[in-house]
Amino acid sequence: MSSSSKTAVTLTVICLGYFMTILDVTAVNVALPALQHALGASIADLQWVLDGYALVFASLLLTFGSLGDRRGSKGVFLTGVAVFTLASAGCGIAPTVAVLQAARVVQGIGAALLVPTSLALLRHTFSDSSARARAFGIYGGIAGIAAAAGPVLGGLLTSTVTWRAIFWLNVPIGLFVLPIAARVVPVAPRSAGRGFDPSGQAVGILMLVLLTASLIQSGTRGWSSPVVIVGLVTTAIACVIFIQIEHRAKAPMMPPALFRNASFSAGTAVGFLINCGFFGQLFLVNLFFQKVWGDSALLSGVRLLPEMGVVALASAFSGRVAGRFGTHVPMIVGTVVGGVGMLMMMTVGFATSYLLFIPMLIAIGFGMAFTMPAMTAAVMAAAPGEHAGIAGGVLNAARQSGTVVGVALLGALANRDSTFVQGYHVAVGVSGLLFLVASALIVVVASKEVRLRVSPGI
C-alpha cells in the first residue's frame, strides 16, 4: 500500500470511529417518544438517556486524552472502538430503561477513549497545516453525514423495525474499523512523563453531575427551588476547587498552561457555546415536531434533513476555507449564520408552514458545521504536539459539557412556561444568543492576533 493510500485509509477509519459517536446522538433524539412508550420512561428518564452518555463522555475525555499521550493514542483509540461497539450491543438488548442508561454510560466511556485520541492521531498523520485543516474538514464532514443520517435512519428504524436497531447500527461499523485501524493507523509519539490527576478527575465529574442534575430539576421544581439553588451553588464551589486543584497538581488533567494561548482558550469556549446551543436546539426541535405538530418519528427525522443534510457539505467547505484564509473566517461566519437561524425560530408556532422552517434549519446546520472543523483545527494547532491527546480531550470535554448543559438548560427553559411553544421560544432565543456570544469572542481574539502581527513588540 502506497503512503498516500495508507494515509487515506487512516483518515477513513479514524473518521468512522468518530462517526459512531455522532450517529447515536441524533438518531436517539428522534426515537425518544417510542423509547418512552416501550420502556415506560419519564421525561427525566429520557434526559438521562441523552445526558448520561454525554456526561460520562465529557467527564472522562481529559483523563483518556492524557492516557493517550502517555500510553499511546493508537492503543487507546482501538480500545475505545471496542468498548463503544460492545456497549452499543448492550443498548440494543436493554430490557429496562435503567439497563439502557447503564449501557449508555459504557458507550460514553468508549467515546471518551476514542474521540481525543482520534484527534491526536489526525494531528500526527497530517503534519502540514493546510493538509491538516482539510483533514479536519473531512473529519467534520463525516460527522456531518452521521448527524444527517441519524434522524432519518433513527426515524425509519423506529417506525419500521424497533428503536433498538438504532444501536445495532454501530456494531458492524466497529467490527469493520478495528482490524483495519490496527493495521494501518500509525503509532503517535508518547509523552511518558505525564501522570494522572485523580483529585481533579473526581471534582470535575462531581461538578458536571451537580450542574446537570440541577438544570434538569429546574424544569420541574422551578429555579427558586432549594434543591436547584443548593445544586447550583455547590457546582460553583466545586468549580473553584477544581481550578485550584489544577493549578497545584504536578500532572493536571487540564494543564493551565494550555489556556495561556488565546486561540486555544477561545476555541475551547466556542466549542462549549455552540454545542450547548446546537444540541439543546436539536432536542427541542424534535419535541416540537412530535408534540406540537404530532409528527411520527420518521416524519420528524425527515423534517430535520435541511438542518442535518447541509452539515457534511459545510464541514468539508469549512476545512478548505480555513486552509486558505485561516480559521477565524469560517468560525465567525458560521456562528453568526447559526445564531440568526436560531433567533428566527422564535417566530414559529402551531400554524407555521414547514416551508418557513426550512431556511432556519439550513442556517443552523450550516452555522454549526462551518464553525466546528475550523474551531477544531485552531485548538489542535495551538497545542504543543506532545499534548495533542489532552488538547483533544479538553476541546471535546468542553463540547460534550456544552451538550449536557444545552439539553438540560434549554429543556428546563422550555418546560418553565404554561405551554411548550412559549417555553420553546425562550429556549431557542437563548441558543441563538449563545452562538452570537461565540462569534463576538472569536472577533476579539482575531483582532488581538492581528494587532500582535502588526506590532509584535506589544
Side-chain angles (χ1 to χ4, degrees):
M1 184 183 294
S2 67
S3 176
S4 60
S5 297
K6 188 174 182 180
T7 299
V9 173
T10 296
L11 176 61
T12 300
V13 293
I14 289 174
C15 287
L16 283 176
Y18 187 43
F19 177 96
M20 295 190 299
T21 68
I22 300 299
L23 182 68
D24 266 12
V25 174
T26 56
V28 173
N29 262 287
V30 175
L32 289 177
L35 190 156
Q36 181 180 24
H37 176 74
L39 299 181
S42 66
I43 294 294
D45 288 333
L46 297 182
Q47 285 180 291
W48 280 114
V49 168
L50 296 177
D51 273 351
Y53 167 77
L55 183 61
V56 173
F57 189 4
S59 299
L60 296 178
L61 276 164
L62 297 174
T63 293
F64 291 148
S66 176
L67 179 66
D69 287 341
R70 188 179 182 185
R71 298 297 185 186
S73 295
K74 180 177 179 177
V76 177
F77 173 80
L78 293 173
T79 302
V81 174
V83 170
F84 193 91
T85 303
L86 289 172
S88 296
C91 291
I93 62 175
T96 66
V97 69
V99 174
L100 176 61
Q101 290 168 340
R104 290 282 283 169
V105 166
V106 180
Q107 269 193 319
I109 294 172
L113 285 163
L114 76 88
V115 169
T117 48
S118 70
L119 290 172
L121 290 170
L122 279 182
R123 191 186 192 283
H124 174 67
T125 303
F126 297 91
S127 56
D128 177 74
S129 60
S130 295
R132 185 185 302 147
R134 289 192 294 270
F136 280 126
I138 294 171
Y139 182 85
I142 293 295
I145 293 172
V152 178
L153 283 175
L156 180 62
L157 291 173
T158 300
S159 299
T160 60
V161 187
T162 171
W163 59 267
R164 297 179 185 276
I166 293 171
F167 297 104
W168 286 106
L169 281 176
N170 296 319
V171 176
I173 298 173
L175 294 177
F176 173 80
V177 168
L178 276 171
I180 298 177
R183 180 180 176 184
V184 304
V185 172
V187 177
R190 301 182 182 185
S191 178
R194 288 198 60 81
F196 290 101
D197 179 18
S199 298
Q201 181 67 66
V203 176
I205 292 174
L206 176 64
M207 181 173 61
L208 280 175
V209 170
L210 286 170
L211 178 60
T212 303
S214 300
L215 292 174
I216 289 176
Q217 288 297 314
S218 70
T220 55
R221 296 175 180 264
W223 293 100
S224 60
S225 166
V227 172
V228 174
I229 293 173
V230 170
L232 293 175
V233 170
T234 308
T235 299
I237 294 171
C239 181
V240 173
I241 295 173
F242 176 77
I243 293 172
Q244 292 178 339
I245 289 173
E246 295 307 282
H247 275 92
R248 296 174 181 174
K250 293 182 179 179
M253 70 172 190
M254 186 184 288
L258 286 175
F259 291 91
R260 294 179 190 137
N261 185 296
S263 293
F264 183 91
S265 298
T268 302
V270 169
F272 175 87
L273 291 169
I274 64 173
N275 265 49
C276 185
F278 180 81
F279 285 100
Q281 165 268 155
L282 184 63
F283 176 72
L284 292 172
V285 170
N286 272 295
L287 291 179
F288 180 91
F289 286 152
Q290 297 185 48
K291 290 181 65 172
V292 178
W293 284 0
D295 289 348
S296 66
L298 177 57
L299 182 55
S300 178
V302 171
R303 287 195 194 275
L304 282 169
L305 273 178
E307 178 173 305
M308 310 310 296
V310 74
V311 171
L313 292 175
S315 295
F317 185 45
S318 172
R320 291 183 177 275
V321 172
R324 185 172 181 180
F325 299 105
T327 56
H328 293 139
V329 172
M331 289 170 73
I332 293 170
V333 172
T335 48
V336 169
V337 172
V340 170
M342 290 177 183
L343 292 176
M344 289 173 64
M345 277 196 170
M346 296 178 69
T347 64
V348 304
F350 178 81
T352 302
S353 168
Y354 175 66
L355 292 177
L356 295 177
F357 236 111
I358 291 176
M360 304 175 199
L361 293 170
I362 291 174
I364 294 169
F366 174 86
M368 177 67 173
F370 204 57
T371 303
M372 187 181 69
M375 172 203 65
T376 303
V379 170
M380 296 305 294
E386 67 272 17
H387 294 320
I390 191 62
V394 170
L395 172 60
N396 281 284
R399 292 188 59 208
Q400 291 306 314
S401 297
T403 299
V404 172
V405 173
V407 171
L409 174 61
L410 298 184
L413 290 174
N415 286 330
R416 76 178 185 89
D417 284 305
S418 57
T419 68
F420 175 80
V421 173
Q422 290 176 331
Y424 172 82
H425 288 162
V426 173
V428 293
V430 170
S431 67
L433 291 177
L434 292 173
F435 265 59
L436 296 182
V437 169
S439 180
L441 181 60
I442 301 162
V443 170
V444 170
V445 173
S447 300
K448 180 179 179 181
E449 291 184 359
V450 169
R451 288 197 302 270
L452 288 175
R453 283 196 294 268
V454 174
S455 304
I458 297 178

